[in-house]
Amino acid sequence: MTQPFRCARPAALQRIALIAAVLLPVAPALAADRYVDAREFPDQVAGWERFRRVEAALVRGFDGVCGDTFCEGEYANLQPQRFRCSVQASSGTVHECIWTFAGSTARVDAQTGEVLVDARSWACRVPLADHTPLALLLATLEGPQPIDAVLPGTRLTVYDGLTACL
């Protein structure tokens, strides 16, 4: 004879309810501590265009100083790649910003005719103060010379971070 289907016992249901009561309040806190790309903050539509304009202005600033500074050495063809910032989703504060660069040098081996290439990349940290609000950072970098703008809560600029890196 088959046993009839039975629901969980009341004690089991109480344990499940207790576990849910403990874990459900934690779920929003875990989500609040996550980080997002600044281009997606507060959402992708609002963040994307503003951040891309700032990145483009930084690239123009880099191009303006490159020839007299960073691009005089062995890697004379330095190219900015991406400027990225991580933002705490719950607070809108920046955790860090990194600006990546690539460059190379090449020479021809006179004996073999082989082109010898030394290609490198750099990940340069922007010298930010702890808990810098993204809105304040972007407002600062939207000024006329973003690469030379003093970063909020510091005496440093993006240029200073590049000098330490490149």
Side-chain angles (χ1 to χ4, degrees), residues 39-57:
R39 296 167 191 251
E40 299 172 5
F41 187 84
D43 58 64
Q44 190 172 16
V45 173
W48 183 260
E49 282 305 315
R50 187 174 187 196
F51 198 86
R52 290 287 291 159
R53 283 192 306 271
V54 165
E55 182 180 35

Side-chain angles (χ1 to χ4, degrees), residues 100-122:
T100 56
F101 293 82
S104 65
T105 185
R107 68 178 182 82
V108 174
D109 184 309
Q111 300 297 320
T112 66
E114 184 178 0
V115 177
L116 304 172
V117 177
D118 178 16
R120 291 197 49 200
S121 63
W122 293 262

Side-chain angles (χ1 to χ4, degrees), residues 80-143:
Q81 300 298 298
R82 287 287 180 239
F83 182 72
R84 287 284 197 267
C85 298
S86 62
V87 177
Q88 187 175 29
S90 62
S91 66
T93 59
V94 179
H95 177 71
E96 72 175 345
C97 292
I98 301 289
W99 197 1
T100 56
F101 293 82
S104 65
T105 185
R107 68 178 182 82
V108 174
D109 184 309
Q111 300 297 320
T112 66
E114 184 178 0
V115 177
L116 304 172
V117 177
D118 178 16
R120 291 197 49 200
S121 63
W122 293 262
C124 300
R125 188 173 310 279
V126 176
L128 296 173
D130 290 341
H131 310 293
T132 300
L134 177 62
L136 181 58
L137 175 63
L138 293 178
T140 300
L141 297 178
E142 287 170 329

